[in-house]
Each structure stands twice: as structure tokens, then as C-alpha cells.
Amino acid sequence: MSLIQNGRGSNPLKDFKVEPGMIGFVGQDLQRPECILAERDGTLWSADARGGVMRIDRDGSQQLVAQAADPHFDLASSTKDSLVSGTLPNGLAFAANGDFLVSNFGTDRLECMTRTGETRVLLDQLDGRPLGKVNFVLRDSKGRIWITVSTMINPWSDAIRAGLADGALLLIDDRGARIVADGFHFTNEIRLDANEEWIYVAETTAKRITRLRIRGDGSLCDREIFGPSTLGDGLVDGICFDAYGNLWATMIFADRLVAITPEGELLELFDDGVAEGTAAFEQAFASGEPVPFDVLMAAAGPTCPWLASVTFGGPDLKTVYLGSLRGTRIPAFQSPVAGLPMVHW
């Protein structure tokens, strides 16, 4: 069926490329702004390695919201310790009352933080066992909470290798918390389609997107690969839908931004990687052994080092914000298509 026949019209991303001159920056002196939430009034909330979130208002003013600022994150002193240990707020979602659901990649638990910084643990074990590396959290329109666990290996950097499939997808609903799918290759960000019929999973070390159909009771079925079997250089990290149905994806360790069309075609939107660093990473990754940390460090571009997430915001949902693990600012640019509205509260 053609795009005209199915009512979509031509894909606005078909010939779209992000050029350096299109990019502006938001925020300053941020620490590990991995995930970003955008409110309707223009306020941004960025995950922050000091143990909370950074509020960035439309006028550029910033305020750290945390129960107590943790000083462990210092890339200039100890890059590896900063990125693999200590509190590491990672994925964020709005709770039903406007608080924050925080998947903490450092403490290995799902937390809830109020807008004044008070934090409590929602989930840190399942069936008496530790959760593993809790990566991302998503709340759907029914109030159910979906959580990804990337790996049981700690530090997580030792899991950056091909062939390891110990990731899982968890669900919290009125029946409690449970695993609804497992056997993923470093489960990362997840998203729902517009009708919440499918859940899409970024399998980082498989370089692919997998989707599963959601049954009424929250169980999953019809697991399949969405789009190409490999997305090319780098490892897929963050994903986000636009209103047309394209699934945008960040490729960490190559610092690429791509999109998969509803028909499964891969589009290249932005390439900020350093060729030598990307080539060294791909060579090390192909060995099947954990990629050495110094190789990971070299695989970073200048604009958004270790590009990790993509978020739509602005009054028309056409402003794209890029999150990263090693950046101190948030790159932003205008998209030709609006993002898919997210669940707020």
C-alpha cells in the first residue's frame, strides 16, 4: 500500500538531514543528561548524575532537584568510575501525579522522586533477587509502568559485547511486578505506538529494534524484529516515535541519529561520530569480547558525545532534544514533523 493510499502522504523525513548550522544548545554544566522530559509549557527535565533531575526553564534558568547532591560524577578525574558507579538517574517518566519515575542505572532500582527532591524506592528486587541494571521506565495511558533491565552484569560496560542476551522487560500493574519478556540483548529504551498496541524495544548490543504485541492483560506476544536486522555503526540506545509513525533512534558509540519508517526503511538523519573512533569500536565489538573502556571513550562525537536519547518538545512538538552520557549541554533542532505526544499526568 502506498503512503498516499494509507492516508499518510509523503514522509517528511525522506530528504531531511540535520546540518551543524541547525543545532542550538540548551542548558550548561549538566551531568550525564541521558534522558530528557519536555513539558507542555516548555520546561525541560534532564536526568542528572548528582542524583536527581535538572529543571531547565524556558528563560534558560536551571535548578537541580535532588534529595542530596552526590559529588561522585567527575569525568575529568575518573571517567570510568563516573559512568559506571554511584547514583546514575537514567530513564525518566512522569508519574500520574506529576512526580518523576526514575530508573537508576547506578543503584539498580526504580525510584520515585517528588518535584522537591524527596525520593523513595518503588522496586529494587523481584522474587527476592536483585533487578539488575535498571535502564528505562515508561508509563502508558492505563497507568501501567514498563521497565527495562539491560543486563545482570555489573559494571554494565562489561556487557557491551555481542551475543549476550540477559536483558528483560518488566511490567508493574494492579497485579504487581513481573517479567513479561526476556532474552534481550541489553534492553534499553522502549516506546509504545500511537494506539498502544505494540511495545518497541531497543536491543542495544543486537543493533536492532524488536517489537511485541500487547494483550489486554499486559502479556506480550508476536515478537518480531522491526525494520532492518542491523541499524549499522554504533549501538541503538534511545528511541522515540514522531506523529507520522517514524521511529527515531540514537546510535551510541557512533553518535548517529537514524529513523525507521513505518515501512521498515532506515533513514540517516545525523552523523556526528569520529570515523576513527567508530571504526575502532566496531572492530572491538566484532570480536565478541567486552569492548575495552578506552575504546568506548574514543567513540564519541563533538556535538553530543555518547548520543543516548531523543525527545520531542516545544509548543508544536517539533523541537528535538538530544540526550547524552558525556555531554554538558543539550543539542536541539527543529524537525519537519512533530513528535508523538507522550503520556503526562
Side-chain angles (χ1 to χ4, degrees), residues 14-344:
K14 192 66 176 179
D15 299 309
F16 177 69
K17 299 289 184 183
V18 181
E19 303 294 342
M22 300 168 56
I23 299 174
F25 293 90
V26 179
Q28 59 183 347
D29 300 324
L30 305 178
Q31 293 191 4
R32 201 179 177 275
E34 202 279 353
C35 184
I36 301 157
L37 296 180
E39 294 207 64
R40 299 181 182 95
D41 65 0
T43 305
L44 298 182
W45 303 89
S46 172
D48 194 282
R50 283 162 285 209
V53 297
M54 182 68 78
R55 173 178 176 149
I56 307 175
D57 290 323
R58 293 178 61 183
D59 63 3
S61 60
Q62 298 182 180
Q63 178 187 5
L64 178 66
V65 180
Q67 187 159 302
D70 188 309
H72 84 283
F73 193 87
D74 185 356
L75 294 179
S77 174
S78 178
T79 302
K80 185 173 183 179
D81 287 346
S82 295
L83 292 166
V84 304
S85 62
T87 181
L88 294 171
N90 207 72
L92 304 175
F94 288 117
N97 64 353
D99 289 343
F100 300 100
L101 302 174
V102 181
S103 51
N104 197 313
F105 205 52
T107 61
D108 300 345
R109 61 195 190 189
L110 178 67
E111 301 166 351
C112 183
M113 189 181 74
T114 69
R115 295 199 168 208
T116 52
E118 291 80 15
T119 300
R120 60 189 175 93
V121 176
L122 291 183
L123 189 68
D124 61 358
Q125 60 179 344
L126 194 62
D127 298 329
R129 294 176 294 179
L131 292 180
K133 303 310 294 182
V134 179
N135 189 304
F136 195 72
V137 58
L138 181 72
R139 184 173 63 89
D140 66 20
S141 64
K142 297 180 179 179
R144 299 178 298 193
I145 299 173
W146 304 84
I147 309 159
T148 64
V149 173
S150 294
T151 179
M152 299 303 295
I153 291 178
N154 196 359
W156 63 264
S157 54
D158 289 348
I160 302 301
R161 66 177 190 257
L164 179 66
D166 65 341
L169 177 59
L170 280 58
L171 174 63
I172 302 176
D173 59 9
D174 54 8
R175 294 169 51 191
R178 61 193 183 278
I179 295 173
V180 287
D182 57 14
F184 294 105
H185 296 253
F186 205 94
T187 333
N188 212 303
E189 288 201 13
I190 48 176
R191 295 292 176 184
L192 302 168
D193 64 4
N195 296 322
E196 298 191 354
E197 295 175 343
W198 293 84
I199 190 164
Y200 291 71
V201 180
E203 289 196 76
T204 293
T205 53
K207 296 175 173 269
R208 72 188 180 201
I209 304 298
T210 294
R211 71 174 187 174
L212 304 93
R213 191 184 300 275
I214 304 173
R215 296 189 178 105
D217 63 356
S219 62
L220 305 175
C221 63
D222 299 336
R223 183 169 174 166
E224 64 184 20
I225 296 174
F226 174 70
S229 59
T230 176
L231 301 182
D233 287 348
L235 304 181
V236 61
D237 192 326
I239 55 177
C240 192
F241 274 107
D242 65 30
Y244 183 85
N246 300 301
L247 184 64
W248 296 47
T250 60
M251 302 297 292
I252 195 170
F253 308 130
D255 289 352
R256 299 166 54 228
L257 180 65
V258 301
I260 304 172
T261 71
E263 295 74 31
E265 179 185 358
L266 183 67
L267 304 177
E268 186 88 18
L269 304 181
F270 180 49
D271 187 347
D272 189 50
V274 176
E276 295 82 1
T278 299
F281 168 79
E282 291 298 327
Q283 181 178 7
F285 186 74
S287 73
E289 297 297 319
V291 178
F293 200 81
D294 61 336
V295 175
L296 296 179
M297 287 296 298
T303 306
C304 197
W306 285 16
L307 175 58
S309 69
V310 54
T311 299
F312 288 89
D316 56 2
L317 289 180
K318 287 188 175 182
T319 303
V320 175
Y321 300 99
L322 300 178
S324 67
L325 271 66
R326 293 171 56 192
T328 58
R329 300 182 297 173
I330 298 170
F333 61 87
Q334 292 299 301
S335 165
V337 59
L340 187 68
M342 64 182 296
V343 174
H344 278 76

